[in-house]
Amino acid sequence: MAKDVFIYDAVRTPRGRGKKTGALNPARPVELTKTVLDAVRERNQLDTKDVEDIILGCVTPVGEQGADIAKLSALYAGYDDSVAGVQINRFCASGLEAINQGACSIAAGYTDLIISGGIESMSRVPMGMDGGAWMIDPQVSDRIAFVPQGISADLMATLDGVTREDADTFAIESQKKAAQAWEEKRFKNSIIPVQDEFGETLLDHDEHMRPDTTLEGMAKLSPSFTEMGQKYGFDAFTARKYPHLESLNHIHHAGNSSGIVDGAAAVLLGNKKIGDRYGWKARGRVKAMAVTSTEPILMLAGPGPASKKALDKAGIRASDIDLWEINEAFAAVVLRAIRELDIDPAKVNVNGGAIALGHPLGATGAMLLGTVLDELERQQKNLGLVTLCIGGGMGIATVVERV
């Protein structure tokens, strides 16, 4: 029988704007990861000899993020030499995948204690630097009809009848909810400020937020993917699969899409035995998980099917979930998931999402799990579900239960 997997702690850095002028740009990726590893150790009086593995998601594992940043960060943070580390990449779901893989190892009885999480310094290691055959090999991209995610998002909006105003309205609500969450200090138990080598604080809040955003201001932003779709032929690629569409309605832009940011997160996972030995009080339990994949040109439709699969494995219904974290890669993605799962929008991303806060690719899934756990505790609710769309058509979902 599978063992219970408990969540004992979850921390994250603030999200810094993913630009050279962003507050976290001076911090190297290993510094960001060290920040959360230090916090996990200190908050839990952890003897790092007991950590059997560190699993970190990282979507662009090259340059400063290359060479197995999980193990390098463990060494840099002064963890015991016995602590192993591995970097994994399931695109935007990498941080949640790291948690799920750690949970599987503990549930199977192979390990007692694992730190899972993620890292992405998008200001220092820009998205796409790792290349990949589907992006740089014309023969491969033509055969699989590769399109960028922004084109897929606009395709989804067109198929679902989501208008520019729908997407912009959703984005403004994300900004408002994020601002309220910070005003009410809802993230205070999880945020670990990032400091420089002299002990000066680089950032102690999510930097990407724009709470003064208005519909009128949004209306002035040009769609981000019109030229890409028309000039480079990606709109034509979508027509192969969806010939009934006369054209794509390009509605997504910087204001209703996820922000490019820097950040790291870490989650302390363990079984009952290790928790009892330390005297830790478990905060949550990993109840179920699932991955799946869908049509790769539409690409971003995975949250619905993955969530249904995870709910089935947990033996519960969507209506049983108290709080949802659906990654705001693009506004249309969340709007589709809400309709497909028939869930109350008031239960979704109650503290805002990646449109307001940003999406540090490899770390986002782990951040969302910490966010839903914090909010379950604040509201004294029981069940949360975290789900993300993923490149190539994949989707991932994890159900957590407050203890």
Side-chain angles (χ1 to χ4, degrees), residues 90-401:
R90 197 189 286 279
F91 299 142
C92 295
S94 298
L96 191 59
E97 177 66 22
I99 291 167
N100 289 354
Q101 288 194 19
C104 285
S105 181
I106 294 168
Y110 293 126
T111 51
D112 296 328
L113 186 65
I114 284 177
I115 296 175
S116 293
I119 169 66
E120 209 78 38
S121 177
M122 301 181 76
S123 69
R124 297 177 71 103
V125 188
M127 180 169 49
M129 277 188 65
D130 54 335
W134 71 344
M135 292 181 63
I136 64 176
D137 186 328
Q139 186 175 356
V140 172
S141 62
D142 183 68
R143 179 166 181 162
I144 66 175
F146 163 75
V147 298
Q149 285 196 350
I151 300 296
S152 294
D154 286 340
L155 171 62
M156 179 177 287
T158 304
L159 290 170
D160 292 353
V162 173
T163 67
R164 167 75 179 257
E165 185 175 357
D166 293 334
D168 288 356
T169 299
F170 178 85
I172 288 171
E173 286 303 307
S174 180
Q175 296 283 357
K176 289 180 179 178
K177 289 187 288 187
Q180 181 178 0
W182 269 102
E183 183 178 345
E184 296 180 0
K185 297 181 171 58
R186 296 185 189 178
F187 301 128
K188 63 181 174 58
N189 293 329
S190 300
I191 290 287
I192 309 300
V194 178
Q195 298 178 336
D196 63 17
E197 58 185 314
F198 305 108
E200 296 295 324
T201 297
L202 292 174
L203 188 66
D204 62 3
H205 62 280
D206 290 319
E207 188 181 25
H208 183 71
M209 294 188 301
R210 296 179 176 84
D212 56 349
T213 302
T214 63
L215 273 176
E216 293 74 21
M218 286 269 205
K220 298 176 183 178
L221 298 175
S222 299
S224 299
F225 307 104
T226 303
E227 181 178 4
M228 181 185 295
Q230 297 173 357
K231 183 176 180 180
Y232 296 102
F234 290 116
D235 284 8
F237 269 30
T238 66
R240 296 184 190 179
K241 185 69 177 179
Y242 301 94
H244 62 286
L245 294 180
E246 294 183 3
S247 62
L248 290 193
N249 184 16
H250 290 286
I251 68 163
H252 288 97
H253 51 77
N256 58 28
S257 307
S258 56
I260 294 172
V261 294
D262 304 336
V267 177
L268 184 63
L269 301 170
N271 57 22
K272 185 177 185 299
K273 180 178 71 174
I274 195 73
D276 288 346
R277 179 150 73 81
Y278 273 95
W280 292 333
K281 182 182 183 300
R283 298 179 58 196
R285 179 188 291 109
V286 178
K287 191 173 179 66
M289 64 186 74
V291 290
T292 189
S293 197
T294 62
E295 197 276 292
I297 297 176
L298 184 56
M299 194 185 304
L300 306 174
S307 297
K308 291 176 182 178
K309 190 174 179 181
L311 291 168
D312 285 344
K313 290 180 180 295
I316 57 179
R317 299 168 298 179
S319 58
D320 295 320
I321 298 296
D322 297 301
L323 293 169
W324 295 77
E325 286 292 330
I326 305 173
N327 188 39
E328 294 176 1
F330 301 91
V333 173
V334 186
L335 293 172
R336 169 177 276 224
I338 289 171
R339 287 193 300 271
E340 185 175 355
L341 295 163
D342 190 25
I343 53 182
D344 181 357
K347 296 181 178 181
V348 177
N349 301 356
V350 299
N351 294 320
I355 288 173
L357 300 169
H359 178 18
L361 306 179
T364 302
M367 289 186 172
L368 295 183
L369 186 133
T371 296
V372 81
L373 189 58
D374 281 345
E375 192 62 19
L376 286 171
E377 291 173 342
R378 190 183 75 85
Q379 293 192 27
Q380 295 292 290
K381 301 291 188 180
N382 295 319
L383 292 173
L385 189 148
V386 178
T387 182
L388 299 92
C389 60
I390 315 171
M394 294 183 286
I396 192 171
T398 302
V399 179
V400 295
E401 181 179 23

Side-chain angles (χ1 to χ4, degrees), residues 30 33 37 48 51-56 65-88 115 119:
V30 291
T33 310
L37 292 181
T48 60
V51 179
E52 294 172 77
D53 205 0
I54 295 176
I55 307 173
L56 289 183
Q65 290 180 168
D68 190 357
I69 191 169
K71 177 57 181 175
L72 297 181
S73 296
L75 292 171
Y76 193 62
Y79 273 47
D80 191 79
D81 289 347
S82 65
V83 180
V86 62
Q87 169 269 320
I88 62 171
I115 296 175
I119 169 66

